[in-house]
Amino acid sequence: MAAKRSNEPKEPQESQEPQEPKRPGKAEEPAGRVPPRQAVWTPDQKYKSLQTLSVWTEQVSGLGEDAEPFVVHHLETQQGMIAVFDGSGGAGATPTWQGPDGAWHTGAWVGSRVARLAVDCWFREVALGNEEAVPESLHLYLRWFLSKAPQRHSKIGGTMRRRLPTTLAAVHYRFHADYSRVELRPLWAGDSRAYVLSPTSGLHVLTRDHTRESDALELLRTDPPMTNVVCADREFTIDTQHLASFALPCVLVAATDGYFGYVHTPADFEHLLLSTLREAHNEYEWADLLRREVQAYTGDDASLALLALGHKDFAHLRSSYERRFADLTERYVRGRPGVLDRAPRAGSEGPRSQEGEREDHARVRAWQDQSWRTYRAGYETYLPSAAEEHR
């Protein structure tokens, strides 16, 4: 059934959005340091087949331009959604809104949070109004909410400037009647990404970055500008694709580039997900390990939403991916150049010469190329086809 269209979105209604539970105790953070935010939600005992978490960190406390991740499951209709939002700080760097504490926030900060609110209200209408999860109606909600948000006109113009710019990467899902498969619809704008992780075939990207370059390894090396973002002052598009049936169990992931944009190869992101899963005993520990790991390597705010579907419990989830982790380590991670290790290599003395640095650089690129050649086919199984033109 086609989504109903109107001039303005309907008033939001109540839905069953997961609430954050009490967290287990943990070591105190150093004095004077504000701990990064993170959220973990575990369904009731009756719904053990859903394990989910979200992680949100910022480089500068209180000024992070990623909104908190969105995770929701509607019990009555057995559908849900995960989403992340990364305010585009370069395009939206103008101070736009002053909070109650007197601190000013950029248009990128405002844009990501307004987009999250719009997605929340849109999902409620989809779930409770029996609407289809299509990009046209989501676009309508985003445009309307952004038009009502605080904005400031900047004296600095240019083609790269945007008002309230943000990326969006989401996955809407709905269980089939027999609960053995799930229908997936990723929706996105910008360079945040959505994935599905299979215990047999590994990590598959579901979105294509809105950039001129589409090769995932080259994107790590070059970081080109985006050609499409959600914003208040220019037209934007919400892209989508439809996977009518994906086998359970699986894990859905949405992440901003703070997670996947600072690794050495695309396979490294899957290795991060699985290595931390192996060490964790519950969802909270998994989230905390993901938070600690990303802080060790990223140069940006970082947020991630994750939902495991069809696993009996967390122990079953962890054991389901043991074989995939071993295969990933053997095929894509083994042979990693020692220069990439965080700790100095044993026996290294003094700074490297220019010739030594060139040799290290050549070894790293050769390893990256080899890893990507063998990993790419599986990773891009569900990569959407490239659009002829991006706005």
Side-chain angles (χ1 to χ4, degrees):
M1 182 178 67
K4 297 177 182 178
R5 301 295 298 274
S6 61
N7 292 329
E8 293 187 354
K10 300 176 183 178
E11 290 296 322
Q13 304 177 53
E14 290 295 324
S15 72
Q16 300 182 38
E17 184 169 358
Q19 302 296 317
E20 185 179 353
K22 295 180 180 179
R23 299 173 178 172
K26 61 177 180 179
E28 294 183 0
E29 299 285 347
R33 178 186 174 192
V34 178
R37 297 184 188 181
Q38 57 184 332
V40 181
W41 167 64
T42 305
D44 295 335
Q45 191 79 4
K46 184 179 178 181
Y47 302 101
K48 276 189 172 182
S49 62
L50 298 171
Q51 288 89 38
T52 189
L53 60 86
S54 62
V55 183
W56 178 82
T57 70
E58 53 187 1
Q59 292 286 294
V60 180
S61 181
L63 300 179
E65 291 176 337
D66 283 19
E68 292 187 29
F70 178 73
V71 181
V72 64
H73 179 76
H74 190 245
L75 298 174
E76 183 178 346
T77 57
Q78 289 300 295
Q79 64 179 302
M81 189 170 182
I82 61 172
V84 292
F85 315 83
D86 180 2
S88 304
T94 303
T96 299
W97 178 75
Q98 189 175 25
D101 59 355
W104 279 95
H105 297 283
T106 65
W109 188 98
V110 174
S112 65
R113 286 149 177 85
V114 172
R116 187 190 189 281
L117 176 61
V119 167
D120 188 344
C121 295
W122 173 79
F123 175 81
R124 291 166 188 262
E125 186 61 32
V126 167
L128 300 178
N130 195 30
E131 304 282 357
E132 285 192 46
V134 293
E136 293 82 5
S137 60
L138 176 55
H139 183 275
L140 180 67
Y141 268 72
L142 289 163
R143 292 292 292 179
W144 190 86
F145 275 84
L146 288 167
S147 72
K148 304 300 180 183
Q151 300 182 40
R152 294 186 72 191
H153 295 272
S154 173
K155 295 181 180 179
I156 303 175
T159 58
M160 300 301 293
R161 288 284 173 177
R162 298 288 188 275
R163 292 183 196 162
L164 314 186
T166 183
T167 70
L168 160 66
V171 186
H172 177 273
Y173 65 91
R174 188 190 299 269
F175 284 106
H176 285 203
D178 61 0
Y179 292 94
S180 66
R181 305 185 75 84
V182 66
E183 175 187 353
L184 302 178
R185 182 179 289 278
L187 302 121
W188 75 96
D191 64 356
S192 294
R193 296 178 189 169
Y195 307 84
V196 60
L197 177 63
S198 164
T200 56
S201 55
L203 189 68
H204 306 289
V205 66
L206 300 177
T207 57
R208 179 183 287 270
D209 290 10
H210 286 137
T211 57
R212 297 297 178 188
E213 177 60 65
S214 60
D215 183 286
L217 181 57
E218 287 304 312
L219 286 168
L220 288 174
R221 291 169 171 171
T222 60
D223 190 24
M226 287 179 284
T227 56
N228 175 55
V229 292
V230 175
C231 60
D233 60 329
R234 305 189 191 189
E235 187 50 59
F236 61 89
T237 59
I238 302 296
D239 268 346
T240 191
Q241 68 163 320
H242 182 225
L243 279 66
S245 182
F246 196 90
L248 294 177
C250 67
V251 175
L252 306 181
V253 182
T256 62
D257 65 351
Y259 262 96
F260 59 78
Y262 293 83
V263 295
H264 297 291
T265 71
D268 279 353
F269 181 53
E270 182 182 350
H271 190 264
L272 168 72
L273 296 171
L274 297 185
S275 62
T276 50
L277 172 62
R278 293 180 78 245
E279 296 180 39
H281 296 91
N282 53 52
E283 295 87 343
Y284 177 82
E285 289 187 11
W286 194 10
D288 193 55
L289 287 166
L290 285 167
R291 187 266 297 180
R292 293 175 185 272
E293 287 294 318
V294 76
Q295 285 183 310
Y297 68 77
T298 194
D300 198 359
D301 303 323
S303 52
L304 176 147
L306 184 151
L307 178 65
L309 302 172
H311 303 86
K312 296 177 182 178
D313 51 31
F314 191 82
H316 179 250
L317 166 64
R318 188 173 56 185
S319 64
S320 297
Y321 288 87
E322 282 291 338
R323 182 173 297 180
R324 174 60 189 178
F325 176 78
D327 182 59
L328 181 73
T329 302
E330 178 65 31
R331 297 177 61 188
Y332 310 116
V333 180
R334 197 174 302 280
R336 181 186 184 93
V339 70
L340 296 179
D341 295 342
R342 291 178 189 158
R345 288 174 292 171
S348 62
E349 296 181 1
R352 297 281 289 165
S353 66
Q354 289 186 355
E355 181 179 355
E357 289 179 356
R358 284 194 296 268
E359 291 175 354
D360 287 342
H361 180 69
R363 279 197 296 270
V364 168
R365 287 186 70 92
W367 170 75
Q368 288 176 317
D369 292 339
Q370 188 277 330
S371 171
W372 180 226
R373 279 194 300 270
T374 54
Y375 185 74
R376 184 173 186 172
Y379 176 80
E380 293 185 345
T381 300
Y382 302 102
L383 177 70
S385 60
E388 293 183 1
E389 180 179 355
H390 294 303
R391 289 183 176 86

